[in-house]
Each structure stands twice: as structure tokens, then as C-alpha cells.
Amino acid sequence: MFAHSIITLQRPSAASDVTDCIYMSKLSIGIVGLPNVGKSTLFNALTAISVPAENYPFCTIDPNVGVVEVPDHRLHQIAGLVVPDRVVPNVVEFVDIAGLVAGASKGEGLGNKFLQHIREVDAICHVVRCFEDPAIVATGALGDPNADRSVIGLELILADLEVVERALDKAERRERTGDSEASFFAGVLRRIRSALSEGRPARHVSLTADELRPVKSLNLLTRKPTMYVANVSEDVASVGSAAARQLREAVAIDDPAAEVVTLSAQLEADLLALENEEQEEYLAAHGMSESGLGELIRAGYRLLGLTTFFTVGENEVRAWTVRTGARAPEAAGMIHTDFERGFIRAETIHVDEFVGVGSLKNARDAGRMRLEGKEYEVTDGDIITFRSAT
């Protein structure tokens, strides 16, 4: 049995001969922030879905969910050569919840209810307003993005502390009966509770694989990888602002594993109303070569340590996501578990070489395909054909 793979992303243009496009390989990111920082405006721009973005707190009551293609120009190249019946890009699901305020974890505003909506996501995207506008109702420390960041960070910590204390209470009751597993879990939870009580996120607690296993089910918000969006005004979108730089510098010290992306949510939203040619002119007028949304999505992939590979054939070109550093059998297993169990070898070529030769057949005829075994580490940009015994 064979499976064909490749690395790429994004829907072909309207001029493409591709007849159909469906979605797979989804990861999810929850958007948080104070009210009126541009969360819903950013969400609108990301998804082109019309959701409320009025200028008052708690406009977004129910969570808004939108699915966005992962942009990658290589998909256009591959689809243009293969001309499949359908193209399946990688996608990201964004979940936008109501703006949080100080005390949200205790019910202020519309409170902890909204935090439950994002406990299932893979990563957190914290939007911080890095510009002043007297027309916008302010709910945070105007002009101090790091103070705003601290408000949200504390609310996530307090929400997690409540979850951990409930879980610890249950574990300690079982621990008193002599349950060794409960005792082990209670010990882990006490360490996490200690960090949270000190105002430190749960991800700052180093856990072994065995310790992490029972913790995963708690879906702690502060264990999730976090990125920050510095939402700047349109006139400084290409270079950012002093407030955005201040935010970036502070994040580098406080949370060096986090990603920081600077963009203008309003500019990104304005782009949606323009045709492709007008978009290029609009970006150029603002000193930008591309939309900030692509960088935001790429930052999510970097944050989560993900690599993309594709299956390719006459009927379909498909993108798949796998963790960075994954070996060939694991990548094969993303397509079907049988491929991983029966893995024999991987036949691979980098996408740049593939574009040069034009097809897998040409690549084989020219001796450009490499044969790799079980220890081969998938590289972003690989085109792989898996050979399986099942």
C-alpha cells in the first residue's frame, strides 16, 4: 500500500484548475484580551466571518469559531503542476471569546464562563492594544500594554488555580485511602498550585512525561503555549510602535518561549474589502510586503513546534501537520495508523526540487527521489511517498 505526501498550504487562486477544496489537519488557537483591544476585528480579518465588533465590553458573548487556511505559496506551485481534483490545506481554528476584565475568574464582567470555551484549544493568542484612540472605550491601563497583559495573565492563573484546587481536593481524598496513583497526582498538583499561588503560570512547572500525563486532562490555560499580538495603528503597521516594542521586550524576559506578532487588526480587516491587486497596492502604501495574518498563523506553527507535509496524487494534494522532529513512520501514521505499523521506507524529494522537475515520475526518472528509513526526520518542504506492508 502506498501513500503520497508533500509539504504545502493554502487554497489555490480562482484561476487555478483545481475543482474542489476541503479542509483537514486542524489545530486550534483561543483569542483572549481585554475588551476593545481589537480581538473581534482581528477575528473578522482572520476568518472573513462577520461577527460583532462593536465598541463596548462583552459584545462577544458566545464564542465565535472560524477556520482559516494556513498560507503557503508552495501549494499553488504544486497544484499548478499536478492539477488535482481537490486540494486539502492545513487549517487553524480560531476561537474568539468575550473580552476579560480584572476579576473575570471570580465572575466580574461575564467572568469565568468564557474561559471554559478555550480550555480545549492548543494555544492561546493574547491580543494587546498598542495604540491610543480616544474614540475607543478603554478598560485597561491606557498606553501600558504590559499592564494589560498582566491583567489577563493573572485571570488565567486564577482560573487555573480554581481548577487545580478542585482536582487536588479529590486527589487528596483518594490519597487518604491509600491510593498510590492519587498520591502521585496530588504531589504534582501541589507543585502546580504553589506556582499558581505565587502568580506563575503552570507551564513554568517542569514536569516529567509521567507527571504530565494526569495533568493533561485538566486543560490548564497557563500550560498552553502562548503568543501575543501587538495590535498597532495602521500608520505604524510596518514598523510597529514604541508600545509594541515594549511589549516584545517584556515578553522576551518573562516568557521567552512565547511568540510576539505585530500587526494592525484594522488594516487587516480593511484588506478584506479589496481585490488582490488593490491589496498589494494598499500593503505597499503601508510599507508592507504581505498581510500580518500569514505571520500570525506561521507563529502559531512555530509556537506549537509543527511541520507540514503533504500527500500528492492526480486526484488530491493534501497537507498534513506533524510535530517538528517527527520521524518518517510517525508522519506516515498521520495518514493512517496502518502506514505507521507497516512502515517499510519513505521515498522523498524536497518541494523546491519537485517544482524543478514537475512531477513525481520525472523525479524518479531523474534519480532525484531519496530512499529513507525509519530514522528519517521529516523536513518542512519534503515530498514523501510512503511504502507500507499493510
Side-chain angles (χ1 to χ4, degrees):
M1 184 180 292
F2 291 83
H4 301 288
S5 326
I6 291 199
I7 293 215
T8 13
L9 310 145
Q10 181 175 330
R11 185 192 302 262
S13 63
S16 170
D17 288 331
V18 175
T19 59
D20 190 23
C21 186
I22 59 177
Y23 299 96
M24 291 292 288
S25 302
K26 181 180 67 180
L27 65 96
S28 59
I29 298 176
I31 305 176
V32 301
L34 293 169
N36 305 327
V37 297
K39 293 189 306 85
S40 293
T41 301
L42 176 64
F43 179 85
N44 287 345
L46 279 165
T47 63
I49 296 173
S50 179
V51 300
E54 284 87 349
N55 180 26
Y56 55 87
F58 316 122
C59 172
T60 312
I61 296 178
D62 294 321
N64 296 302
V65 180
V67 177
V68 184
E69 294 177 19
V70 178
D72 190 323
H73 70 280
R74 296 170 293 185
L75 182 60
H76 294 289
Q77 294 177 303
I78 296 168
L81 292 169
V82 177
V83 194
D85 293 330
R86 61 182 180 179
V87 174
V88 187
N90 277 326
V91 296
V92 178
E93 178 184 83
F94 284 91
V95 181
D96 177 35
I97 66 169
L100 303 174
V101 296
S105 60
K106 299 301 180 183
E108 289 296 323
L110 292 175
N112 212 3
K113 166 185 176 182
F114 297 125
L115 294 176
Q116 299 305 318
H117 293 314
I118 58 171
R119 286 204 176 274
E120 302 296 327
V121 301
D122 300 303
I124 301 292
C125 173
H126 182 177
V127 181
V128 182
R129 182 154 67 94
C130 292
F131 65 93
E132 297 185 15
D133 186 341
I136 296 177
V137 177
T139 56
L142 191 63
D144 189 347
N146 281 301
D148 291 355
R149 179 172 67 97
S150 296
V151 169
I152 299 300
L154 180 58
E155 292 309 315
L156 299 184
I157 285 171
L158 292 174
D160 277 353
L161 184 58
E162 183 180 333
V163 170
V164 167
E165 286 180 334
R166 284 201 304 266
L168 180 57
D169 180 62
K170 293 179 182 177
E172 286 179 335
R173 287 201 300 268
R174 288 165 40 215
E175 183 182 29
R176 289 191 287 271
T177 68
D179 187 325
S180 59
E181 287 187 8
S183 180
F184 177 79
F185 187 28
V188 176
L189 290 174
R190 291 185 193 106
R191 289 166 52 203
I192 296 175
R193 181 182 63 178
S194 177
L196 294 171
S197 298
E198 295 169 0
R200 295 185 293 119
R203 62 179 170 273
H204 286 186
V205 179
S206 179
L207 299 177
T208 66
D210 287 340
E211 291 171 333
L212 181 58
R213 196 169 295 113
V215 171
K216 282 183 177 180
S217 63
L218 299 180
N219 283 319
L220 297 179
L221 296 167
T222 63
R223 275 208 67 84
K224 297 181 186 296
T226 300
M227 73 168 74
Y228 297 88
V229 171
N231 183 19
V232 301
S233 60
E234 295 166 83
D235 58 332
V236 297
S238 64
V239 295
S241 64
R245 289 192 292 274
Q246 178 189 357
L247 175 69
R248 187 179 293 273
E249 290 167 1
V251 168
I253 296 171
D254 299 341
D255 193 0
E259 291 277 344
V260 181
V261 177
T262 299
L263 55 75
S264 167
Q266 188 57 56
L267 184 151
E268 302 296 336
D270 291 345
L271 280 173
L272 293 176
L274 304 176
E275 298 296 331
N276 287 345
E277 207 171 292
E278 293 175 313
Q279 287 182 2
E280 293 176 6
E281 293 174 358
Y282 189 71
L283 288 170
H286 286 83
M288 300 167 63
S289 59
E290 67 171 343
S291 162
L293 301 182
E295 174 55 24
L296 173 60
I297 294 171
R298 288 192 293 271
Y301 264 62
R302 291 195 301 269
L303 183 69
L304 293 166
L306 301 175
T307 290
T308 310
F309 71 92
F310 282 62
T311 57
V312 64
E314 292 182 0
N315 296 327
E316 177 184 272
V317 170
R318 177 177 295 223
W320 305 84
T321 297
V322 71
R323 66 179 183 85
T324 299
R327 303 197 186 281
E330 182 179 339
M334 298 301 296
I335 300 170
H336 198 289
T337 53
D338 286 349
F339 292 175
E340 182 172 9
R341 285 195 294 267
F343 180 88
I344 297 175
R345 65 175 180 267
E347 188 181 21
T348 181
I349 181 174
H350 192 272
V351 64
D352 292 341
E353 291 185 84
F354 176 80
V355 170
V357 296
S359 71
L360 292 177
K361 180 181 184 303
N362 291 346
R364 293 188 183 98
D365 291 345
R368 305 288 287 276
M369 301 291 288
R370 306 186 311 274
L371 294 181
E372 304 288 355
K374 292 182 178 181
E375 296 305 309
Y376 177 69
E377 187 175 302
V378 176
T379 301
D380 184 71
D382 277 351
I383 294 174
I384 309 174
T385 300
F386 294 109
R387 175 67 182 272
S388 173
T390 56

